[in-house]
């Protein structure tokens, strides 16, 4: 921010000028009275006159020239004293004016102009007060904006959830309505029941995801850390998908380096992360033939966990957004895969709780979700 000096108004300049004039007059009167008093004192006291004369003669040079004269010295001293008093009075008044300007700026900000900052540069301690006021306003504005963002994201959440609930609910009501009429062939009856059931399942998974997401986001979620042997965990996770993998002709590959790699993590939540990522690979990796689950110790404190699948890639422009809640790649919205757009937000939430990071890369060969976790989150 560009700082400028306090600009005095015309009235203030006149006020300062008047103050100067009054001070000069008062000082002149004071000087005059001092001179008169001294003069009277000298006239009345012969000893003082003798003393002065003696001092004068001791410093008299050749040709009767005085090196210094009492009167001259006295007048110079008084003039210097006057200047100091004048300067002090004017500068004091000037500082008062600066303070007045700062106060009026404060009132302006307090009136709701929160984008305004006090831009004066002053040379006194007032500058520290100005800087503190500016940073106070900054932090207040930040808190207000954060509050607004939270409010807005809550509104978005409600809108998205209402929309995602309404869509399947409308079909459920529609199909149940048809069934209620009784004029449906047994064949259609079965079809409608199946559709209504699938839609109800979709709503259930939305409710579950939402509950999990909000629980993760609430600050009081604690991790239940225990020693976790990564390779064994990956084998167990893979076992859960064996049937589906066989059906789709997908082959799993598991690697852990070192093989006995063990980390401290919340096993239940980490398994949920793997389930999310593998489910996504099945759902969206169209044409995939292989899913790789790889774990590597990359340094003394960090482990890298990868879930990779071949098949259809994620478009470049979506890569940055896929961890946002409710975000779904355009092509996935139209497919019958279901999904709420919350899976990857939940995954990221779990990784964040472990003080880790997650990112995604995708090209025509591989889509990789790369997670980095500290070996011991309680010390991260
Ligand atoms: P959901 O699966 O409920 O739609 P996610 O948050 O899990 O939500 O995923 C967000 C989007 O990211 C998905 O809709 C999908 O488009 C895309 N996506 C996630 N994983 C993959 C993957 N392995 N391959 C291709 N696209 C993916």
């Amino acid at each position: 921010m560009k700082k400028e000096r306090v600009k005095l108004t015309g009235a203030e300049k006149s006020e300062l000028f008047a103050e100067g004039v009054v001070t000069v007059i008062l000082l002149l009167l004071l000087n005059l009275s001092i001179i008169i008093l001294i003069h009277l004192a000298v006239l009345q006291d012969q000893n003082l006159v003798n003393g002065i004369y003696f001092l004068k003669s001791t410093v008299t040079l050749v040709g009767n020239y005085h090196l210094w004269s009492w009167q001259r010295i006295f007048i110079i001293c008084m003039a210097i004293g006057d200047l100091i008093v004048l300067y002090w009075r004017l500068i004091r008044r000037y500082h008062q004016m600066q303070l007045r300007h700062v106060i009026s700026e404060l009132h302006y900000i307090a009136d709701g102009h929160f984008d305004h900052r006090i831009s004066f540069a002053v040379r006194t301690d007032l500058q520290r007060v100005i800087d503190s006021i500016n940073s106070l306003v900054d932090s207040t504005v930040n808190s207000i904006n954060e509050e607004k963002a939270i409010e807005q994201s809550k509104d978005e959440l409600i809108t998205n959830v209402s929309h995602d609930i309404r869509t399947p609910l409308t079909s459920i009501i529609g199909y149940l309505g048809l069934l209620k009429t009784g004029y449906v062939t047994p064949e259609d009856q079965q079809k409608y029941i199946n559709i209504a059931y699938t839609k109800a399942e979709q709503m259930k998974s939305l409710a579950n995801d939402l509950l999990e997401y909000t629980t993760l986001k609430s600050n009081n979620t604690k991790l239940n850390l225990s020693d976790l042997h990564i390779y064994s965990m990956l084998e167990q996770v893979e076992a859960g998908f064996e049937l589906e993998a066989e059906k789709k002709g997908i082959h799993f590959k598991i690697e852990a380096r070192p093989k006995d790699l063990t980390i401290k993590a919340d096993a239940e939540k980490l398994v949920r992360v793997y389930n999310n990522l593998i489910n996504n690979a099945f759902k969206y990796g169209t044409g995939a033939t292989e899913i790789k689950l790889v774990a590597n110790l990359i340094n003394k404190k960090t482990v890298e966990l990868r879930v990779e699948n071949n098949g259809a890639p994620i478009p470049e422009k979506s890569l940055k957004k896929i961890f946002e809640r409710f975000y779904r790649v355009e092509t996935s919205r139209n497919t019958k895969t279901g999904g709420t757009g919350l899976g990857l937000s939940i995954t990221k939430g779990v990784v964040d709780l472990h003080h880790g990071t997650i990112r995604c890369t995708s090209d025509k060969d591989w889509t990789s979700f790369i997670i980095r976790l500290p070996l011991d989150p309680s010390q991260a």
Side-chain angles (χ1 to χ4, degrees):
M1 187 174 51
K2 199 171 157 276
K3 291 196 169 183
E4 55 192 49
R5 307 193 64 185
V6 175
K7 280 205 189 82
L8 297 187
T9 60
E12 283 168 336
K13 280 181 192 155
S14 321
E15 196 183 324
L16 212 55
F17 181 73
E19 172 99 14
V21 171
V22 170
T23 310
V24 168
I25 293 171
L26 286 176
L27 284 172
L28 284 179
L29 287 174
L30 190 72
N31 292 351
L32 212 64
S33 10
I34 291 174
I35 289 169
I36 293 170
L37 280 177
I38 290 177
H39 199 67
L40 286 176
V42 171
L43 277 186
Q44 275 170 14
D45 196 337
Q46 191 53 42
N47 289 339
L48 208 57
V49 178
N50 293 343
I52 293 170
Y53 180 75
F54 171 74
L55 269 177
K56 258 187 173 179
S57 54
T58 52
V59 287
T60 300
L61 299 176
V62 192
N64 225 8
Y65 181 77
H66 301 306
L67 185 63
W68 44 271
S69 132
W70 278 109
Q71 276 159 354
R72 234 180 274 158
I73 293 256
F74 187 72
I75 286 173
I76 289 173
C77 285
M78 259 198 327
I80 291 175
D82 289 353
L83 283 177
I84 292 174
V85 172
L86 181 67
Y87 175 76
W88 171 72
R89 299 247 317 164
L90 289 181
I91 204 79
R92 203 186 52 149
R93 181 50 62 101
Y94 178 63
H95 287 161
Q96 277 173 358
M97 286 170 181
Q98 283 182 328
L99 191 61
R100 244 189 273 161
H101 279 255
V102 170
I103 292 171
S104 78
E105 294 269 303
L106 261 181
H107 280 295
Y108 183 72
I109 296 173
D111 278 346
H113 302 98
F114 293 123
D115 50 346
H116 186 75
R117 297 289 176 279
I118 305 175
S119 57
F120 299 144
V122 294
R123 286 207 205 103
T124 52
D125 277 352
L126 189 60
Q127 187 63 56
R128 281 167 53 197
V129 177
I130 292 176
D131 292 343
S132 312
I133 291 171
N134 281 342
S135 47
L136 186 73
V137 178
D138 279 343
S139 57
T140 312
V141 169
N142 283 345
S143 317
I144 294 174
N145 287 343
E146 264 169 37
E147 199 66 34
K148 270 190 201 156
I150 292 173
E151 204 51 43
Q152 198 183 342
S153 84
K154 270 189 194 157
D155 289 348
E156 270 170 25
L157 188 80
I158 293 169
T159 316
N160 282 322
V161 172
S162 325
H163 176 263
D164 283 6
I165 287 179
R166 208 178 48 185
T167 319
L169 204 56
T170 315
S171 353
I172 292 172
I173 293 170
Y175 286 111
L176 289 182
L178 282 175
L179 290 170
K180 212 173 84 175
T181 59
Y183 304 116
V184 193
T185 60
E187 211 176 273
D188 282 347
Q189 199 174 9
Q190 194 53 43
K191 197 171 118 198
Y192 296 164
I193 290 173
N194 279 344
I195 299 174
Y197 183 80
T198 317
K199 297 287 169 189
E201 285 273 307
Q202 246 179 46
M203 283 178 62
K204 188 178 142 210
S205 81
L206 171 68
N208 285 343
D209 278 0
L210 202 61
L211 187 69
E212 197 168 350
Y213 175 78
T214 43
T215 317
L216 270 179
K217 288 284 156 186
S218 71
N219 289 332
N220 39 29
T221 313
K222 295 262 173 317
L223 286 180
N224 191 5
L225 296 179
S226 61
D227 286 329
L228 194 63
H229 188 271
I230 296 283
Y231 194 84
S232 315
M233 180 197 64
L234 293 180
E235 278 185 328
Q236 275 178 33
V237 170
E238 186 228 319
F241 287 92
E242 244 164 35
L243 261 180
E244 206 174 342
E246 215 172 291
K247 242 198 300 179
K248 291 199 163 176
I250 292 179
H251 168 75
F252 269 100
K253 189 172 172 193
I254 301 179
E255 275 173 30
R257 276 183 295 260
K259 189 114 190 226
D260 60 350
L261 182 58
T262 304
I263 65 167
K264 273 207 183 327
D266 187 318
E268 200 185 311
K269 292 197 172 61
L270 203 59
V271 167
R272 172 76 159 110
V273 164
Y274 273 100
N275 284 340
N276 271 352
L277 295 177
I278 297 169
N279 259 321
N280 280 351
F282 276 113
K283 277 199 289 186
Y284 307 115
T286 318
T289 54
E290 189 169 10
I291 295 178
K292 288 199 271 188
L293 309 178
V294 184
N296 279 326
L297 185 67
I298 55 166
N299 62 42
K300 277 185 195 152
K301 288 185 171 171
T302 320
V303 64
E304 187 177 88
L305 310 172
R306 285 170 171 261
V307 176
E308 304 180 306
N309 64 274
N310 54 3
I314 301 176
E316 174 87 40
K317 68 174 170 29
S318 299
L319 278 177
K320 273 190 217 125
K321 293 190 182 160
I322 51 170
F323 296 102
E324 285 172 16
R325 66 182 188 201
F326 294 115
Y327 182 80
R328 307 191 69 208
V329 177
E330 207 55 51
T331 46
S332 324
R333 281 176 213 267
N334 309 325
T335 58
K336 295 195 180 72
T337 49
T340 58
L342 283 172
L344 287 178
S345 315
I346 293 172
T347 303
K348 185 170 182 319
V350 172
V351 172
D352 287 346
L353 271 182
H354 282 84
H355 304 290
T357 57
I358 181 164
R359 65 195 167 90
C360 176
T361 60
S362 187
D363 57 33
K364 65 178 180 18
D365 298 322
W366 290 98
T367 293
S368 312
F369 285 86
I370 305 154
I371 298 171
R372 287 196 173 180
L373 295 182
L375 279 187
D376 186 353
S378 60
Q379 301 195 343

